């Protein structure tokens, strides 16, 4: 693997530990990785329809990434063995591809992480399968808005508390709730590293953002309460009250003036709903 030795320096945060500050090499690496991850979701878009088997979507993603000459970060990650997490309806995150078919009215998160020359691109989107009830569409729209408000708050001098606050206040205004048990994360040459990006917060609190920091923002928003439970497979997280849950994720880098989204859609599948 090609690991550029001088791609970052490190600052130390009292609660988060060392956080990397990447240079131009890191930005170049993350642009490539982020683009491939977004291309996987673009490629899948026309296939996310009633009666598709989720394992088939996973296989398409794997073949696409391998054909591009790159790797999945999730195959063999802590015992996970798929290229995608596919989380349907009340599944919050880390749904495992299976023989299950998607059906009319489902809302589905597809999350993909790829590795390109050692750099990680991590992104997810919500897909509406066939005709989706208004309430579910509203959840998907609000969750996307939460991600984008978090991204707008991410700039040098702002804090992770500002990012979390932007997300939390928007969700709670709509009487929806923010999942506490999972958060965004630093990434780069590692899949998950400091800092933890909690999707709740108070303005001015937490890590001060600086140019060169790379992390994901990936809010999970529920129609009901925030509580989550883990199924016996050790991965699938569902809402305790079985209410619907939605999530979007981008990988970003803090720049001198704001931030750069590494995982934007090359095909323009930017905001939901996505039509082939
Ligand atoms: N892509 C997920 C994230 O956003 C992590 C998936 S880990 C897996 O951090 F093993 F469940 F795939
Ligand atoms: Co992530
Ligand atoms: Co992800």
């Amino acid at each position: 693997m090609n690991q550029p030795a001088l791609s970052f320096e490190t600052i130390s945060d009292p609660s988060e530990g060392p956080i990397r500050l990447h240079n131009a090499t890191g930005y170049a690496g993350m642009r490539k990785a982020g683009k491939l991850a977004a291309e996987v979701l673009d490629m899948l878009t026309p296939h996310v329809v009633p009666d598709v088997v989720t394992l088939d979507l996973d296989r398409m993603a794997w073949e696409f990434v391998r054909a591009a000459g790159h790797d999945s970060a999730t195959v063999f990650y802590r015992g996970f063995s798929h290229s995608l997490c596919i989380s349907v309806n009340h599944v919050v995150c880390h749904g495992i591809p299976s023989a299950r078919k998607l059906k009319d009215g489902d809302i589905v998160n597809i999350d993909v992480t790829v590795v390109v020359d050692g750099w990680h691109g991590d992104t997810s989107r919500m897909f509406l399968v066939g005709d989706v009830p208004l309430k579910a569409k509203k959840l998907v729209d609000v969750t996307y808005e939460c991600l984008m408000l978090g991204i707008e708050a991410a700039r040098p001098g702002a804090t992770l508390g500002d990012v979390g606050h932007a997300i939390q206040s928007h969700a709670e205004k709509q009487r929806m709730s923010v999942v506490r048990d999972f958060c965004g994360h630093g990434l780069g040459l590692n899949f998950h590293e400091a800092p933890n990006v909690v999707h709740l917060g108070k303005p001015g609190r937490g890590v001060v953002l600086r140019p060169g920091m790379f992390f994901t923002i990936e809010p999970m928003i529920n129609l009901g309460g925030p509580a989550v439970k883990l199924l016996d497979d050790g991965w699938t997280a569902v809402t305790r009250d079985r209410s619907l849950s939605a999530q979007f994720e981008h990988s970003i880098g803090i720049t001198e003036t704001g931030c750069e989204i590494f995982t934007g859609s090359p095909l323009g599948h930017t905001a939901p709903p996505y039509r082939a």
Side-chain angles (χ1 to χ4, degrees):
M1 201 169 290
N2 162 25
Q3 297 223 340
L6 293 173
S7 69
F8 52 79
E9 56 177 312
T10 292
I11 61 155
S12 201
D13 179 85
S15 60
E16 294 287 335
I19 299 174
R20 294 190 167 96
L21 301 179
H22 296 268
N23 64 20
T25 306
Y27 278 88
M30 289 300 284
R31 281 181 197 123
K32 277 200 186 177
K35 179 162 183 264
L36 180 64
E39 282 169 342
V40 171
L41 299 183
D42 284 353
M43 177 276 294
L44 291 171
T45 300
H47 300 286
V48 187
V49 291
D51 288 331
V52 72
V53 172
T54 61
L55 257 176
D56 288 339
L57 296 172
D58 183 63
R59 183 185 38 77
M60 285 181 231
W62 167 254
E63 286 171 0
F64 184 88
V65 171
R66 297 301 296 164
H70 300 295
D71 268 304
S72 161
T74 54
V75 173
F76 306 129
Y77 180 77
R78 299 174 185 227
F80 201 78
S81 47
H82 297 280
S83 303
L84 301 176
C85 295
I86 302 183
S87 303
V88 184
N89 295 334
H90 70 295
V91 178
V92 172
C93 63
H94 302 164
I96 304 172
S98 71
R100 167 191 191 145
K101 286 181 177 169
L102 297 181
K103 60 178 198 311
D104 189 64
D106 284 344
I107 61 169
V108 184
N109 177 273
I110 302 184
D111 189 340
V112 64
T113 311
V114 299
V115 194
V116 175
D117 302 332
W119 298 95
H120 290 73
D122 186 5
T123 186
S124 81
R125 300 179 197 154
M126 293 300 295
F127 296 85
L128 309 179
V129 181
D131 266 328
V132 166
L134 205 62
K135 191 83 190 148
K137 274 191 196 151
K138 175 79 179 167
L139 171 67
V140 168
D141 287 341
V142 169
T143 305
Y144 179 74
E145 290 157 12
C146 283
L147 170 62
M148 296 317 288
L149 288 167
I151 289 174
E152 276 166 37
R155 55 188 138 72
T159 68
L160 284 180
D162 296 333
V163 172
H165 178 74
I167 293 165
Q168 179 179 15
S169 54
H170 188 62
E172 292 180 354
K173 230 178 274 159
Q174 314 292 323
R175 279 172 274 102
M176 298 176 188
S177 64
V178 179
V179 170
R180 272 86 171 142
D181 302 66
F182 297 96
C183 51
H185 49 93
L187 84 174
L189 292 168
N190 295 308
F191 186 177
H192 293 108
E193 61 185 26
N196 277 319
V197 180
V198 180
H199 303 109
L200 311 120
K202 294 205 166 67
R205 300 281 182 88
V207 174
V208 179
L209 300 179
R210 295 182 43 181
M213 288 182 178
F214 294 167
F215 54 87
T216 71
I217 304 181
E218 50 182 299
M220 283 141 276
I221 308 295
N222 300 345
L223 276 184
V228 159
K229 74 175 183 198
L230 204 61
L231 299 189
D232 288 339
D233 60 29
W235 283 105
T236 312
V238 300
T239 53
R240 256 183 201 282
D241 59 12
R242 296 188 65 88
S243 67
L244 291 177
S245 185
Q247 178 178 30
F248 284 86
E249 174 175 27
H250 274 312
S251 299
I252 70 170
I254 302 298
T255 62
E256 296 297 329
T257 54
C259 70
E260 177 173 338
I261 299 175
F262 296 126
T263 44
S265 165
L267 288 191
H269 294 308
T270 302
Y274 306 113
R275 306 242 176 268

